[in-house]
Amino acid sequence: MPLPTHTLLAETRKRIVPPRTAPPPAPTTRAAVPPLAPGAVPGLGHAAALLRDPLGFLGSLSRHGGVVRIRLGPRTVCVVTDARLVHTLLVALARDCPRGAVQDTLKTAFGDGLLMSEGQAHRDRRRIIQPAFGPDRMAGYLAVMHQVTEERAGRWRPGQVLDVAKEMNHLALEIVTRSLFGARLSEDATLAFHRALPDLVKGQIVQSLYPHPALARLPLPVNRRFDAAVRVLNRVVDQAVNGRPGTDRTALTDRPGGTLPDLLRAATDPATGRPLTEADVRSEAITMFGAGTETVSTTLTWLLDELLRHPEVEARVLAELDEHLPAGTVPTPEALGRLGYTRSVTQEVVRLHAPNAFLMRTAQVPVDLGPYRIPAGTELLYSLTALHRDPVRYQEPLSFRPERWQDGGGLGRPSFLPFGAGKHKCIGEAFAWAELTVAAAAILRRWRPVAVPGARAREVVWTTVQAHGLRVRLAPRTEAAATSAVRTGTPERAAEPAGAFPTVRARPTGCPFTGTADTPATARPANTPATARPGTGTGTAVAPPQPRPPAELRAAADRHADWAVHHGLLAPTELPGYRAYALHELIGHAFPRVRGAELDLLVDMLGWFTVLDDHFDGPPGRRPTEAHALVDPLISTLADGPRPTAPEGRLLTAWRELWDRQSESASPAWRARAAHEWRACLATFPAEAEHRARGTVPALGLGLAETMRLRRHGSCLYPFMNILERVHGADAPAALHAEPALHRLRANTADAATLINDLYSLEREERQSAAAFNTVLTLQRARGCTRSRAVGAVRARVAHLRRENEELRRDLGRRHPAGRWYLDGTRELVTGVQAWTSTSNRYQVPGGRR
């Protein structure tokens, strides 16, 4: 009989922290030497066990004593496993045991700020910064937190698959930037910040384990990446602190003392009597960015994950919000004080998923820690994650039980230390608790997250316990939320009915490849399987996708136009003609379920490719050297590892951003597959230029079969077939990808879409100066046939490909039902190309036929 879900979860978590039922016996004598943990390996000590399973190893030490010695190579470290002794270490022994090696790494990089300073310097700096977190500021901060979360959640769309960790990272960074600094970071700066954080965290932990500090100065890859991350973070923080181009400084007249940088610049250093330096300001800003972003975003991710696992808890939270924080109201400190159950939920998330895997102190003098004597120079390590999962302090510690916090239960210190204790207790504790509650409330009010199969949160441990892999599909919480989700358009567009179909221009009466009226984009050939519901992983027939509101596609087109102008791909004067192509409608037809950020990504990708393609109507299309100079840097972006230095042209800059957006959180298999297809696609441009330069154009040295192979990859259909998996939220089954029949279906899909494109672009390509790689023209040259017969042959080929693909889908769907959504998606791609090419002005020739 299968175990219930909560039992399986508990059994899984038992492997993380072995349970114990009672405190270990205290040593019988005072000043005892802490016991040595078993399992040390000669030369390595316990380093391998710590790196292999950090939480499991640290949690297992409590059975051996309140303080336990471990060996990390030649170093001996004492791990404090008892919460009472950790509290003693942080409060009574704070002066004698300052911060340890992990924090020293950051001190070297960012200076002696609040996070890294000690003694009188720490007290002086804390007095300067404290007013920024005073009670008189909290109401203003709550309003900003609410506004930022509403804005970000308002950009999401129904059906969108959300990478929760990524979104919460961006949200937390924006809240800190706008609340404390009164600034808005540019998109490039935001992305740079989040890319740099992993290298900073990894470098911090690795360098703290070096047997000698000099190793941090060697040109090792981990050191180089750490140094590069430090430079990036300094540049980003400098932008926020100084309001450089790309920031949007906000007036803060309602805040006494202004922003945090204003407070710091107005202060004097008590030790010198002089104003703080800009290095001091940057050091404190780095502290706030780091401490205020990663831990809060990680906790928000775990919060959403736990609510997915416990819908009854989510229901109680929503009911409490309805009672004490009505929808649309700005939270106040008094309102948050009435959210008792919601506070219990956030406390339980923080307890169970304490983000601090381990922190360190160093005994500068001999100290007594409980019954143990700690020699001077000893490094002391403790794990808040392990402490908060101690079965002696918390019943069923690996179960998510918010009720343990009701009526103050379980809150008794020193067992609960999420923000530390003593003089180094986190200065932003109240800010963080408020941020968790306000952000969660705004998100849950608007959206109901639905778990994507196989994409739940998992623990990844460095210096913090990060939540990786959680992906959810968004469903509107109410009809009102669904309507508000399309408010990014103009007021006129937002007023359109949410259920209306996208506006489509009238189509011509005949289709050049069937000779009959066009088929609607949502039509399905007879005797074909119904579309599988995204995310189910089954072949169950379901209703077709709900029609997308017209305003949603047009808003995506508006955002794309802004994006293209921002990256310099188009001048504002070029927009009217470009927008007439209606590229957003192609995406709307070909990807009927895509919403939100994925919709923006697809429209931006198609627009970028269209601009690139138009470049090759000019000289690069006839000059191989120019073609390679344009394309080779684009291809090099697809390689893993450091990117080669190349001139930052507009196409390249935009492409690098697009590739990062495509491949974010993607599996290694998907990333490799997508990179391979993009390389093949981009390589067709210089290949065609070389054929034109040599005169081996289609039918003049280049056969029909070779032309079709070249055109198949040059149409960008293969990369867009890969995107089916990106927007679905999971890879198609590996067994399906291994099928030769799927390779045939993908080739047929690309060929059919290419041939349809050739039929509609025929007149335009007949008139261009460079030799066109158009199948109709190739047939006319190769076979000496008339235009009408060539068009008829292409029509027949398209019909044959579509019939063959339906047979392939039936066969593959029968053997791989979990991948039927992918198979149906390839049909929607071709149908979407057909619907769009018959309506777009992309291929219209003035005075020509349509």
Side-chain angles (χ1 to χ4, degrees):
M1 178 177 178
L3 291 171
T5 301
H6 68 274
T7 304
L8 288 173
L9 181 60
E11 289 299 319
T12 299
R13 284 176 173 161
K14 284 177 184 176
R15 303 188 195 106
I16 298 174
V17 181
R20 64 181 172 93
T21 57
T28 57
T29 59
R30 293 289 296 170
V33 176
L36 178 67
V41 176
L44 293 177
H46 300 90
L50 178 63
L51 293 174
R52 182 172 58 250
D53 182 12
L55 297 184
F57 175 70
L58 293 174
S60 71
L61 298 179
S62 60
R63 67 182 66 170
H64 304 293
V67 180
V68 182
R69 287 180 296 135
I70 64 172
R71 292 198 175 114
L72 302 177
R75 296 161 56 187
T76 296
V77 176
C78 284
V79 180
V80 187
T81 68
D82 187 294
R84 293 169 300 178
L85 298 184
V86 171
H87 192 270
T88 299
L89 175 67
L90 299 181
V91 179
L93 299 179
R95 179 176 180 180
D96 294 330
C97 299
R99 299 180 185 276
V102 174
Q103 288 89 341
D104 286 345
T105 302
L106 293 183
K107 182 176 180 179
T108 302
F110 298 120
D112 199 10
L114 182 67
L115 183 64
M116 283 72 76
S117 60
E118 294 289 345
Q120 187 62 43
H122 176 83
R123 290 190 289 274
D124 291 340
R125 193 61 58 86
R126 193 177 181 98
R127 289 193 193 100
I128 293 171
I129 296 174
Q130 188 65 59
F133 296 96
D136 58 326
R137 295 204 169 206
M138 188 53 67
Y141 289 154
L142 293 179
V144 176
M145 293 171 187
H146 176 73
Q147 180 181 356
V148 170
T149 310
E150 285 287 340
E151 289 174 1
R152 188 154 201 96
R155 293 196 289 269
W156 303 340
R157 293 294 176 267
Q160 176 182 346
V161 174
L162 201 70
D163 182 329
V164 177
K166 172 195 167 188
E167 284 296 318
M168 296 305 101
N169 266 317
H170 283 264
L171 174 62
L173 178 62
E174 191 171 359
I175 287 175
V176 167
T177 306
R178 288 171 61 176
S179 298
L180 298 181
F181 297 88
R184 294 178 189 258
L185 290 177
S186 67
E187 186 65 21
D188 289 344
T190 300
L191 291 172
F193 180 88
H194 291 301
R195 291 192 197 111
L197 270 183
D199 288 333
L200 183 79
V201 172
K202 292 175 186 177
Q204 180 189 10
I205 182 61
V206 171
Q207 291 187 13
S208 69
L209 295 175
Y210 283 155
H212 193 281
L215 291 174
R217 296 191 293 271
L218 295 179
L220 303 174
V222 66
N223 293 340
R224 292 201 303 270
R225 288 192 293 267
F226 177 81
D227 293 341
V230 169
R231 290 192 295 271
V232 168
L233 293 182
N234 274 314
R235 287 197 299 270
V236 171
V237 170
D238 196 47
Q239 184 184 104
V241 168
N242 296 319
R244 295 198 175 168
T247 64
D248 179 16
R249 304 291 293 179
T250 305
L252 298 172
T253 55
D254 58 332
R255 297 187 198 174
T259 65
L260 178 61
D262 294 335
L263 278 176
L264 293 168
R265 290 183 175 122
T268 57
D269 186 342
T272 64
R274 293 192 295 270
L276 299 184
T277 66
E278 285 303 305
D280 293 328
V281 174
R282 181 186 288 108
S283 179
E284 300 306 342
I286 283 281
T287 297
M288 298 306 158
F289 268 79
T293 299
E294 185 180 14
T295 54
V296 171
S297 64
T298 298
T299 304
L300 279 170
T301 303
W302 284 120
L303 172 60
L304 292 179
D305 186 73
E306 290 294 353
L307 293 181
L308 286 171
R309 300 178 191 273
H310 301 88
E312 74 286 356
V313 174
E314 181 189 47
R316 284 190 63 180
V317 168
L318 287 168
E320 185 175 71
L321 293 175
D322 287 339
E323 181 179 359
H324 298 298
L325 193 61
T329 59
V330 176
T332 64
E334 294 74 23
L336 293 191
R338 293 191 290 270
L339 301 177
Y341 184 73
T342 303
R343 176 62 179 256
S344 295
V345 171
T346 56
Q347 286 175 323
E348 180 67 350
V349 172
V350 169
R351 181 200 67 80
L352 183 56
H353 302 288
N356 298 107
F358 59 90
L359 297 165
M360 297 183 76
R361 294 290 187 269
T362 301
Q364 288 189 332
V365 297
V367 295
D368 288 335
L369 192 54
Y372 304 103
R373 184 66 169 172
I374 309 299
T378 301
E379 294 177 289
L380 296 150
L381 182 150
Y382 61 97
S383 169
L384 293 182
T385 312
L387 292 175
H388 290 173
R389 295 175 179 179
D390 185 349
V392 172
R393 306 294 173 189
Y394 300 96
Q395 289 186 335
E396 301 179 39
L398 301 174
S399 298
F400 181 73
R401 293 176 49 197
E403 62 272 13
R404 76 171 82 240
W405 301 98
Q406 296 292 288
D407 301 322
L411 192 59
R413 294 182 183 274
S415 63
F416 188 58
L417 305 167
F419 294 92
K423 66 176 186 177
H424 285 288
K425 182 182 179 183
C426 177
I427 196 172
E429 178 179 9
F431 185 98
W433 283 121
E435 183 179 355
L436 289 172
T437 305
V438 172
I443 292 169
L444 294 173
R445 286 284 196 178
R446 186 183 290 261
W447 298 107
R448 180 173 61 84
V450 179
V452 172
R456 302 305 294 266
R458 66 183 186 277
E459 291 182 329
V460 176
V461 183
W462 287 98
T463 50
T464 57
V465 184
Q466 300 167 2
H468 284 199
L470 179 61
R471 294 171 72 84
V472 299
R473 193 176 300 279
L474 296 172
R477 184 67 66 179
T478 63
E479 287 301 317
T483 302
S484 66
V486 299
R487 289 177 183 166
T488 53
T490 63
E492 294 79 6
R493 290 172 179 169
E496 296 183 30
F501 280 85
T503 302
V504 179
R505 291 187 291 277
R507 297 184 179 124
T509 56
C511 172
F513 58 84
T514 63
T516 61
D518 286 327
T519 306
T522 55
R524 196 172 67 242
N527 303 318
T528 60
T531 302
R533 185 191 307 275
T536 61
T538 71
T540 306
V542 297
Q546 291 297 313
R548 186 188 285 106
E552 189 169 350
L553 271 179
R554 288 202 292 266
D558 292 341
R559 291 191 295 271
H560 169 66
D562 293 340
W563 180 86
V565 171
H566 170 74
H567 282 283
L569 300 176
L570 295 168
T573 55
E574 297 174 299
L575 282 178
Y578 174 80
R579 296 191 70 152
Y581 297 164
L583 298 177
H584 61 288
E585 291 185 6
L586 171 54
I587 296 301
H589 290 311
F591 296 87
R593 293 167 192 79
V594 72
R595 298 290 190 273
E598 277 79 10
L599 176 62
D600 288 345
L601 170 63
L602 289 172
V603 177
D604 289 346
M605 283 174 56
L606 183 61
W608 176 87
F609 187 82
T610 300
V611 172
L612 175 70
D613 186 64
D614 285 348
H615 271 68
F616 287 90
D617 288 342
R622 301 182 297 275
R623 301 170 185 170
T625 301
E626 292 185 23
H628 278 287
L630 196 58
V631 167
D632 288 352
L634 304 176
I635 293 176
S636 69
T637 297
L638 302 167
D640 290 329
R643 289 171 175 168
T645 303
E648 286 288 334
R650 295 168 182 174
L651 278 166
L652 177 59
T653 300
W655 169 241
R656 284 178 170 170
E657 180 201 298
L658 285 174
W659 175 243
D660 288 339
R661 286 163 62 189
Q662 290 175 68
S663 56
E664 255 178 351
S665 303
S667 70
W670 186 94
R671 188 181 177 99
R673 194 160 54 243
H676 172 77
E677 302 298 358
W678 271 120
R679 287 189 196 98
C681 173
L682 296 171
T684 61
F685 289 106
E688 288 183 1
E690 288 172 359
H691 282 299
R692 291 190 185 102
R694 295 198 303 264
T696 55
V697 294
L700 297 176
L702 190 65
L704 182 61
E706 292 83 0
T707 300
M708 279 306 302
R709 277 195 290 271
L710 196 62
R711 299 282 290 121
R712 178 182 300 152
H713 288 284
S715 65
C716 83
L717 258 293
Y718 273 107
F720 274 85
M721 280 187 275
N722 292 328
I723 288 290
L724 286 169
E725 297 169 283
R726 171 70 166 77
V727 299
H728 180 73
D731 290 8
L736 176 62
H737 274 298
E739 287 274 7
L742 182 71
H743 300 171
R744 179 67 176 271
L745 183 143
R746 282 164 55 92
N748 287 355
T749 300
D751 285 354
T754 299
L755 293 174
I756 293 170
N757 181 282
D758 285 352
L759 288 166
Y760 280 99
S761 64
L762 179 58
E763 286 192 46
R764 178 186 175 190
E765 293 182 336
E766 279 180 320
R767 302 188 183 195
Q768 70 183 37
S769 57
F773 284 70
N774 183 291
T775 314
V776 175
L777 298 178
T778 302
L779 282 171
Q780 287 182 258
R781 296 190 193 108
R783 299 182 181 176
C785 59
T786 63
R787 173 186 168 125
S788 61
R789 290 192 64 182
V791 168
V794 172
R795 289 178 187 165
R797 179 62 179 166
V798 171
H800 170 78
L801 291 172
R802 298 182 78 165
R803 287 194 301 270
E804 183 178 355
N805 270 5
E806 288 309 320
E807 295 174 3
L808 291 169
R809 287 189 189 97
R810 281 194 292 272
D811 176 56
L812 289 168
R814 185 171 57 253
R815 291 186 286 115
H816 303 281
R820 192 169 292 165
W821 58 267
Y822 180 87
L823 303 174
D824 289 339
T826 61
R827 180 195 302 113
E828 291 169 343
L829 271 173
V830 175
T831 306
V833 169
Q834 173 187 340
W836 174 78
T837 49
S838 64
T839 63
S840 174
N841 290 335
R842 166 72 173 161
Y843 304 116
Q844 189 169 2
V845 176
R849 293 172 291 183
R850 283 291 289 168

